[in-house]
């Protein structure tokens, strides 16, 4: 069991150590090569997560392979904090992504979205100018409306729209026109709609709702993935606890029993250095 837990933990941490290198590289690459607000907003968290994984994996690898109890203690401590952080993030994500989902439009393949269907925390975030400016930059940069604005009425009846396209690239379906061409308003967003390709419905509440729907879907999927990752990390943490116990036992003079007469088979990593210093001290005095 000694070699199994330490060897398994060593291989697992070597795998995560190697996987953190491309993650850090991706964050640094986005810093220098990307001009999109959507991508550059991810560069800091991606790079930070990569460095955290690198350091934690390095501590676990060194501690398990070289039998260093202190390194394993640091590894288990930060793994515990990481598990708590991911679990808290998953619970919070599931809580704020309740609601939404959109409303069916009769005779259409797409749904329409209302800002009031989402949690107060998400609505407060999207209403803040800095967040909405960043989200709007993502929408314009992705050219989500480039094709939709040239659709015919038949296309709107038969084709699917993403939440962002439904909310930002067309007026609400409730907007209609009378015989003389005057708009009959059933929604305040009808006033905010413009045929200008640079404006469209970017100022509409439906556009903000479409962005929140996309965020809700992505965040919900990430929260479910976080729970799976937490379960995996808890299994690794259990293996780490076994490895730490084994290393501490190997550091003891009598690893299996207080009555044993056999000395330890696996000396601690600093055993020979301490013995050399003790011998030199005895020679001096």
């Amino acid at each position: 069991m000694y070699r199994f837990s330490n060897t398994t933990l060593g291989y697992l941490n070597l795998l995560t150590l190697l996987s953190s290198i491309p993650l850090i590289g991706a964050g640094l690459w986005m810093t220098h090569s990307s001009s999109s607000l959507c991508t550059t907003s991810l560069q800091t968290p991606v790079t930070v997560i990569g460095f955290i994984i690198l350091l934690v994996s390095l501590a676990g690898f060194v501690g398990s392979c070289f039998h260093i109890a202190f390194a394993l203690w640091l590894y288990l401590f930060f793994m515990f904090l990481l598990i708590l952080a991911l679990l808290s993030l998953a619970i919070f994500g599931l809580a704020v992504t309740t609601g939404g989902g959109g409303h069916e439009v009769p005779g259409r393949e797409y749904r329409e979205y209302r800002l009031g269907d989402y949690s107060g925390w998400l609505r407060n975030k999207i209403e803040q100018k800095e967040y909405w400016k960043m989200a709007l930059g993502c929408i314009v940069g992705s050219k989500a409306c480039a094709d939709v604005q040239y659709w015919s009425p038949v296309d709107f009846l038969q084709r699917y729209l993403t939440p962002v396209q439904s909310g930002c690239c067309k007026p609400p379906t409730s907007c209609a026109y009378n015989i003389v061409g005057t708009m009959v308003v059933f929604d305040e967003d009808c006033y905010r709609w413009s045929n200008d390709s640079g404006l469209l419905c970017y100022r509409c509440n439906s556009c903000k709702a479409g962005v929140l729907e996309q965020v809700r879907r992505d965040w919900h999927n990430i929260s479910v993935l976080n729970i799976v990752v937490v379960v995996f990390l808890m299994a690794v943490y259990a293996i780490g606890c076994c490895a730490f116990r084994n290393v501490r036992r190997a550091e003891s003079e009598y690893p299996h029993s207080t009555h044993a007469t056999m000395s330890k088979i696996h000396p601690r990593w600093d055993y020979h250095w301490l013995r050399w210093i003790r011998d030199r001290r005895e020679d001096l005095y």
Side-chain angles (χ1 to χ4, degrees), residues 141-157:
S142 65
K143 298 180 180 180
C145 299
D147 296 328
V148 177
Q149 59 182 329
Y150 298 112
W151 281 8
S152 66
V154 177
D155 290 327
F156 282 100
L157 291 174

Side-chain angles (χ1 to χ4, degrees), residues 48-242:
V48 170
I49 290 173
F51 274 110
I52 290 175
I53 294 175
L54 175 67
L55 295 176
V56 173
S57 300
L58 183 61
F61 179 77
V62 172
S64 59
C65 294
F66 296 96
H67 315 297
I68 304 176
F70 180 70
L72 277 178
W73 184 88
L74 286 178
Y75 170 76
L76 293 176
F77 175 75
F78 285 107
M79 276 285 288
F80 180 74
L81 295 181
L82 180 62
I83 291 173
L84 282 183
L86 289 177
L87 185 60
S88 301
L89 184 62
I91 294 174
F92 178 75
L94 292 175
V96 299
T97 54
T98 56
H103 301 269
E104 293 185 355
V105 181
R108 309 296 173 96
E109 294 294 326
Y110 57 83
R111 289 172 172 260
E112 291 189 337
Y113 306 91
R114 299 171 186 170
L115 199 57
D117 293 339
Y118 298 90
S119 65
W121 189 86
L122 285 177
R123 292 200 307 271
N124 290 335
K125 283 295 181 182
I126 203 66
E127 292 288 355
Q128 295 179 15
K129 291 183 178 180
E130 55 180 302
Y131 288 98
W132 178 238
K133 182 179 179 181
M134 182 180 297
L136 191 57
C138 293
I139 298 169
V140 176
S142 65
K143 298 180 180 180
C145 299
D147 296 328
V148 177
Q149 59 182 329
Y150 298 112
W151 281 8
S152 66
V154 177
D155 290 327
F156 282 100
L157 291 174
Q158 298 177 348
R159 302 178 67 174
Y160 171 78
L161 292 171
T162 66
V164 172
Q165 290 174 331
S166 176
C168 304
C169 306
K170 65 171 188 60
T173 307
S174 59
C175 300
Y177 294 86
N178 58 20
I179 297 177
V180 296
T182 304
M183 181 177 287
V184 180
V185 178
F186 295 98
D187 194 317
E188 293 182 357
D189 284 342
C190 298
Y191 289 114
R192 302 185 180 104
W193 161 259
S194 173
N195 287 322
D196 188 339
S197 60
L199 296 176
L200 299 178
C201 214
Y202 294 147
R203 298 172 296 177
C204 300
N205 286 332
S206 62
C207 187
K208 295 179 179 179
V211 172
L212 286 186
E213 175 61 23
Q214 192 64 55
V215 170
R216 186 194 71 83
R217 294 180 182 182
D218 295 340
W219 202 346
H220 181 81
N221 293 335
I222 291 174
S223 298
V224 174
L225 179 62
N226 275 345
I227 293 177
V228 176
V229 172
V230 166
V231 174
F232 172 75
L233 291 180
M234 290 176 68
V236 176
Y237 188 83
I239 298 175
C241 290
C242 294

Side-chain angles (χ1 to χ4, degrees), residues 32-47:
H32 295 92
S33 65
S34 178
S35 59
S36 172
L37 286 174
C38 300
T39 309
T40 55
S41 63
L42 296 175
Q43 65 193 25
T44 300
V46 167
T47 306

